[in-house]
Amino acid sequence: MTTAESSSRLQSLDAFRGATIAAMILVNNPGSWNAIYPQLEHARWNGWTVTDWIFPFFLWIVGVAMTLSFAKRKEHGEDRGKLLLHVLRRALIIFALGLFLSGFPFGVLWGNFSLATWRIPGVLQRIAVCYLIASAIFLYSGLRAQIWWVVGLLASYWAAVMLIPVPGFGAGVLQPTGCLPWYIDSNLLAGHTWSGAPAPGFDPEGILSTVPAIATTLLGILTGHWLRTAYSREEKTAWMFVFGNFFLVAGAIMDIWFPINKNLWSSSYVVFMAGFALVCFSMFYWLMDVKGHAKWGRPFVIYGMNAIAVFVLSGIIGRLITLIKVTGSDGNPVTLKGMIYNTLFVPYFSPVNASTLFAVAFILVLYLVVWVMWKRKWFIKV
């Protein structure tokens, strides 16, 4: 027996998705990369900041939404092969959008572009891969097997990083240069990794570290199973909060042996961030779906209904305003972003506040776009 969660949209999930996307846009678009609050930057290596919540939250949400979307269809005997083909199509589109953002604007009019340095991994690319593999696991296995998949993925990744020797460095290296994920990415993706990574050849969305990221998505799937049970919404909220805190403690203990690390997507990071996701989502769920206080979350719901679309749009606009040149007040060329930032923010606020408020303004401008889309019922589904 299941509750309405199995067949209707959860306002809290849409709001949580929208808040996560808004936060992702906030940290990706400061006015100046030289003036950022520490919590709005990723941890340089070990440890975490609030910014390090964002990506695992989104993958976790993908898992929750997948369960609510597919479970009933699976139970009614809908052909799993057709569902998987649908998933494959969506995954390919999301992956292609990620590649597009990595290369945009492909050297047309502005900037430089080379196939030899086109970054292959990325945020959308990892979402696509995790969505595809987690969907296959969900469609072809039951709850107990899915739990074992989580355990197996986290344990096997931990074992691989700690036990497989890297030529010239040995086994168990947990530094940017010399760790197993770096070795795999620097060899298999040579020239196609992120230029801003902690070490040349390393990529925070690389090949091996995608394995535990799949477990992050599966933990969302397990939460989706819980939401579909016949327990009351009050009980669901309470137990999500309890298990969230349990995962936080477990992740902190695991940190002793395998440090919490977003770049490596360490097993402790997966567990720790799943705990934060459960705690944060339980508050959204309690306020919006249990207590009925939904109005405050409406802007986030509007963002969440077109999450991928607004993320891609933010990437395109963010890139364009740093490439388009205009004439500044002194007669010299300046980027469009520089003109806006230096005119509307720098003169009135401290450097770090000016930089943050620029990012907030960027979010608000995009909100106007998604609000119009929402009013017109334009929901872009890839």
Side-chain angles (χ1 to χ4, degrees):
M1 180 178 179
T2 61
T3 61
E5 262 82 276
S6 63
S7 58
S8 63
R9 294 190 75 96
L10 286 177
Q11 291 188 83
S12 56
L13 189 62
D14 282 329
F16 192 38
R17 182 190 295 110
T20 301
I21 285 294
M24 194 177 291
I25 294 170
L26 176 74
V27 302
N28 285 345
N29 296 278
S32 170
W33 289 103
N34 296 318
I36 306 174
Y37 281 107
Q39 287 297 317
L40 296 182
E41 290 188 278
H42 289 292
R44 293 188 181 278
W45 192 243
N46 292 335
W48 58 275
T49 68
V50 172
T51 299
D52 294 314
W53 296 6
I54 297 170
F55 196 5
F57 276 22
F58 194 85
L59 286 177
W60 182 88
I61 291 165
V62 167
V64 177
M66 183 191 308
T67 310
L68 301 183
S69 172
F70 286 168
K72 194 171 183 180
R73 298 163 69 178
K74 181 181 174 183
E75 290 168 358
H76 287 175
E78 193 165 334
D79 185 80
R80 289 180 295 185
K82 289 183 179 179
L83 288 175
L84 192 58
L85 283 175
H86 169 71
V87 167
L88 177 60
R89 172 186 168 276
R90 291 190 67 190
L92 288 173
I93 292 173
I94 293 170
F95 197 96
L97 287 172
L99 286 177
F100 171 80
L101 286 181
S102 293
F104 183 82
F106 301 98
V108 178
L109 300 180
W110 314 280
N112 299 311
F113 174 76
S114 170
L115 286 173
T117 57
W118 190 2
R119 186 188 177 201
I120 294 175
V123 170
L124 289 178
Q125 294 92 314
R126 172 163 285 182
I127 291 172
V129 172
C130 290
Y131 170 63
L132 175 61
I133 297 176
S135 293
I137 292 171
F138 173 76
L139 289 172
Y140 289 93
S141 69
L143 174 60
R144 182 173 298 181
Q146 289 158 21
I147 293 172
W148 280 112
W149 267 104
V150 172
V151 175
L153 289 171
L154 295 183
S156 61
Y157 178 65
W158 192 338
V161 171
M162 293 299 185
L163 300 177
I164 297 176
V166 172
F169 294 90
V173 176
L174 296 176
Q175 297 301 318
T177 300
C179 63
L180 185 62
W182 163 83
Y183 179 74
I184 291 174
D185 292 341
S186 61
N187 281 277
L188 298 184
L189 299 174
H192 298 282
T193 55
W194 183 40
S195 60
F202 184 89
D203 199 292
E205 281 79 52
I207 296 170
L208 186 62
S209 60
T210 297
V211 170
I214 296 166
T216 297
T217 312
L218 289 171
L219 285 167
I221 286 175
L222 297 180
T223 304
H225 283 302
W226 172 244
L227 289 170
R228 297 188 72 249
T229 65
Y231 290 97
S232 70
R233 289 182 168 183
E234 289 79 6
E235 289 175 298
K236 292 174 185 177
T237 305
W239 281 108
M240 282 192 292
F241 190 79
V242 168
F243 272 98
N245 281 279
F246 170 79
F247 281 135
L248 286 172
V249 173
I253 293 172
M254 293 166 66
D255 173 71
I256 298 171
W257 299 282
F258 194 2
I260 293 170
N261 186 303
K262 188 266 180 188
N263 285 287
L264 289 174
W265 212 278
S266 60
S267 301
S268 58
Y269 176 76
V270 171
V271 173
F272 195 67
M273 291 303 159
F276 270 127
L278 278 165
V279 169
C280 292
F281 176 68
S282 67
M283 291 188 285
F284 275 74
Y285 184 75
W286 171 256
L287 287 171
M288 299 184 73
D289 290 304
V290 178
K291 304 303 290 183
H293 304 311
K295 288 184 179 179
W296 68 272
R298 178 60 61 82
F300 295 129
V301 171
I302 292 172
Y303 248 99
M305 296 292 283
N306 274 299
I308 296 295
V310 73
F311 179 77
V312 172
L313 183 62
S314 73
I316 293 172
I317 295 175
R319 187 71 59 86
L320 285 177
I321 62 175
T322 62
L323 294 174
I324 295 174
K325 297 290 182 69
V326 295
T327 303
S329 57
D330 58 359
N332 293 317
V334 62
T335 66
L336 179 58
K337 177 181 179 178
M339 185 192 71
I340 296 170
Y341 180 55
N342 291 322
T343 302
L344 300 180
F345 297 94
V346 171
Y348 308 106
F349 306 100
S350 67
V352 71
N353 285 332
S355 182
T356 304
L357 288 172
F358 177 90
V360 171
F362 194 88
I363 291 171
L364 294 176
V365 169
L366 287 173
Y367 176 74
L368 292 177
V369 176
V370 292
W371 180 82
V372 170
M373 295 173 68
W374 175 75
K375 289 290 287 185
R376 294 178 177 272
K377 299 188 181 338
W378 294 345
F379 304 118
I380 299 177
K381 305 295 182 183
V382 297

